[in-house]
Amino acid sequence: MQEQILKFVAKANSYLADYILIILLVGVGLYFTFKTRFVQIRCFGEGMKKVFGGFKLSGGKNASGLTSFQALATAIAAQVGTGNIVGASGAILTGGPGAIFWMWVIAFLGMATNYAEAVLAQETKVKGDDGEIHGGPVYYIKKAFPNGFGTFLAYFFSIAAILALGFMGSMVQSNSIAESCNTAFGIPVWAIGIIVAVIAAFIFIGGIQRIASVTEKLVPIMAGIFLLSGLVILIAKIKFVPETIGMIFKYAFTPNALIGGGIGAALKTAISQGAKRGLFSNEAGMGSTPHAHAQANVEKPHDQGVAAMVGVFIDTFVVLTMTALVVITCLYTGNGPLANLSGNAYLAATAGEAAVVSKTSAMQMAVSSVFGNSLGNSFVAICLLFFAFSTIIGWNFFGKVNMQYLFKNDKVAVVVYSIIAVGFIFLGSLLKNDLVWELTDFFNYLMVIPNAIALFALGKVVAKNAKNKKNK
């Protein structure tokens, strides 16, 4: 049964990723890049100052909503997950090292997209009777289309978000945690599933304030440890780093020299891998992080918009790039297992049941080549544990917001949602890896469609905020 479902969903994803996804992500990114007069360049320094100017691991408490940093930390917690390790590795193995170049392109455009999402989330957020802040794509979708079409798009987005983030997405994260911990420590996957589910349930019960309290501390620490360790590996392999950077640019435009086939098909594979894994990593255009940015207590929407851009930058240009450099340097150069392979030999080593390297083992093999098998496997397993768990926390909240929208803040519905979500976390640790990823991709792609339509419709609102930054 799993095999049949996998084939069907994979086929649907190939059409969505290769055509609809690329058109929408590139289109909306270009639109807001020019509409905001390259806000990701003009206001990048401003965004960095807002995020790191008064940086501390405790953002303070608010009667309602969050501080700007807490909102950003919650967004980054969702962004920095398995996509930065497993997703990036999968993109490299399937599309070649050049897929990372296209991830960078998508991320550059995505910074403008994420600016737009955060601004609109701030513009349309509301305070409920319970004093809680409610905001996200469903609210700006309704602003864009205050009619039956808008209602349809909002419900469509909410259902896709609940399935993609609250349920399927959490399965991907727990699946990666379970597999990596099983490889490194020999712990049964079901045991890991239970542990992760129980800890997650405790945090879910505490609501957005507890989530923010965890993420504002967890995100900076986990990112710092990962980046420092990656830097140590690159220093140990320093003579291969120039070759690694060259491969990223070379195979961005001639991937067929590595993965074989015609230049057209190979280039499409590299770009689509960069686009879909870029989406899964930084989530710009998907409509997930606006749920967190809506919670920020800021003077004006523009303030959170520029902070949101920094989140995409940190996710892709810093954390994901470190993964890419480590994987390519250790596996594709020198005596690496994929060095000097191309065409059928390369495909045999990276695809199918008999693959030498898989997306789940690539980073562990890379780190182990420097630190040794025991330490390397353990380090990656621990990184994945924190990265993936932080994403579970963020995504569950995003799904909860949409559950509240669908059921008009009914408390029973929210409790039922949380119980089901915990069940999916455990289930994800048991299922086949490829099926979990394909299901998550499918619902992620569905989220992009209504979100992108609304973003295009509200371009003037975003441009006004980017142009007149002093307006509240």
Side-chain angles (χ1 to χ4, degrees):
M1 178 64 75
Q2 286 192 44
E3 287 293 338
Q4 294 302 316
I5 296 175
L6 175 60
K7 289 180 181 178
F8 173 79
V9 178
K11 190 70 173 178
N13 283 346
S14 67
Y15 287 106
L16 286 169
D18 293 348
Y19 302 103
I20 297 175
L21 184 67
I22 290 177
I23 292 171
L24 285 177
L25 288 181
V26 173
V28 75
L30 285 171
Y31 177 70
F32 283 110
T33 293
F34 288 102
K35 194 77 174 177
T36 61
R37 296 182 295 121
F38 288 82
V39 69
Q40 65 267 61
I41 296 176
R42 288 192 302 109
C43 301
F44 181 73
E46 180 185 352
M48 293 293 283
K49 288 179 182 178
K50 289 191 180 299
V51 173
F52 297 107
F55 173 77
K56 55 182 178 179
L57 290 179
S58 178
K61 294 184 178 180
N62 293 276
S64 64
L66 307 173
T67 66
S68 179
F69 178 75
Q70 286 177 324
L72 178 64
T74 303
I76 294 178
Q79 291 169 311
V80 178
T82 57
N84 294 78
I85 297 179
V86 181
S89 298
I92 294 169
L93 295 176
T94 304
I100 299 303
F101 172 84
W102 297 110
M103 277 190 176
W104 290 341
V105 172
I106 291 294
F108 175 76
L109 299 176
M111 289 174 70
T113 302
N114 211 204
Y115 171 87
E117 291 177 310
V119 164
L120 292 176
Q122 281 287 318
E123 287 275 5
T124 58
K125 67 181 182 180
V126 297
K127 179 177 284 190
D129 295 335
D130 55 1
E132 286 190 16
I133 299 296
H134 302 280
V138 290
Y139 294 91
Y140 59 71
I141 287 172
K142 286 294 294 179
K143 178 181 177 67
F145 306 103
N147 50 32
F149 179 63
T151 300
F152 167 76
L153 285 181
Y155 277 117
F156 182 91
F157 178 89
S158 287
I159 294 170
I162 291 168
L163 292 173
L165 306 177
F167 300 156
M168 304 301 173
S170 294
M171 290 172 70
V172 165
Q173 310 302 326
S174 62
N175 183 278
S176 296
I177 292 172
E179 283 203 6
S180 60
C181 287
N182 178 259
T183 299
F185 309 116
I187 304 173
V189 293
W190 61 266
I192 294 295
I194 290 176
I195 295 171
V196 173
V198 170
I199 297 175
F202 171 75
I203 296 175
F204 296 165
I205 293 171
I208 184 58
Q209 292 293 341
R210 183 176 292 172
I211 290 172
S213 178
V214 172
T215 57
E216 71 180 346
K217 299 173 180 62
L218 182 60
V219 168
I221 293 172
M222 72 180 190
I225 293 173
F226 179 77
L227 294 174
L228 180 61
S229 301
L231 188 60
V232 170
I233 294 172
L234 293 181
I235 291 174
K237 299 270 190 177
I238 190 67
K239 67 178 181 179
F240 298 113
V241 172
E243 181 183 352
T244 293
I245 296 173
M247 291 174 74
I248 292 175
F249 287 94
K250 173 185 176 182
Y251 292 125
F253 301 98
T254 58
N256 61 313
L258 178 69
I259 64 179
I263 180 62
L267 189 58
K268 186 180 75 171
T269 299
I271 295 174
S272 66
Q273 284 295 315
K276 71 179 185 179
R277 290 295 159 231
L279 171 69
F280 190 79
S281 175
N282 62 56
E283 302 178 31
M286 194 169 85
S288 55
T289 58
H291 298 99
H293 293 303
Q295 297 289 321
N297 289 315
V298 291
E299 182 181 350
K300 52 188 181 295
H302 171 81
D303 292 343
Q304 196 60 23
V306 295
M309 293 190 316
V310 174
V312 176
F313 178 84
I314 292 171
D315 172 86
T316 302
F317 290 101
V318 179
V319 180
L320 184 144
T321 296
M322 179 60 76
T323 297
L325 293 176
V326 169
V327 168
I328 298 170
T329 299
C330 295
L331 302 186
Y332 286 78
T333 66
N335 295 320
L338 302 179
N340 304 313
L341 296 181
S342 62
N344 291 333
Y346 176 78
L347 295 176
T350 58
E353 296 292 334
V356 176
V357 184
S358 68
K359 60 176 176 279
T360 55
S361 68
M363 189 62 173
Q364 287 180 317
M365 291 178 66
V367 175
S368 295
S369 69
V370 175
F371 291 161
N373 287 336
S374 180
L375 181 58
N377 288 340
S378 299
F379 172 75
V380 175
I382 292 171
C383 285
L384 266 175
L385 172 62
F386 285 105
F387 278 27
F389 187 74
S390 71
T391 300
I392 289 174
I393 295 172
W395 278 2
N396 178 268
F397 170 68
F398 301 162
K400 177 184 174 183
V401 171
N402 287 280
M403 198 73 179
Q404 290 173 323
Y405 177 81
L406 282 179
F407 292 92
K408 313 301 181 186
N409 294 322
D410 183 81
K411 293 183 178 180
V412 175
V414 172
V415 171
V416 171
Y417 160 78
S418 298
I419 293 173
I420 296 174
V422 170
F424 269 90
I425 291 172
F426 173 69
L427 183 62
S429 66
L430 306 177
L431 290 181
K432 185 175 179 179
N433 182 275
D434 288 341
L435 175 59
V436 174
W437 274 89
E438 291 292 347
L439 285 170
T440 301
D441 282 343
F442 179 73
F443 288 107
N444 282 347
Y445 300 162
L446 293 185
M447 287 175 61
V448 172
I449 298 171
N451 185 57
I453 292 172
L455 291 175
F456 278 120
L458 295 171
K460 289 183 179 180
V461 178
V462 177
K464 181 181 177 182
N465 278 274
K467 182 179 180 180
N468 191 355
K469 299 184 290 185
K470 295 182 180 181
N471 284 347
K472 291 187 180 181

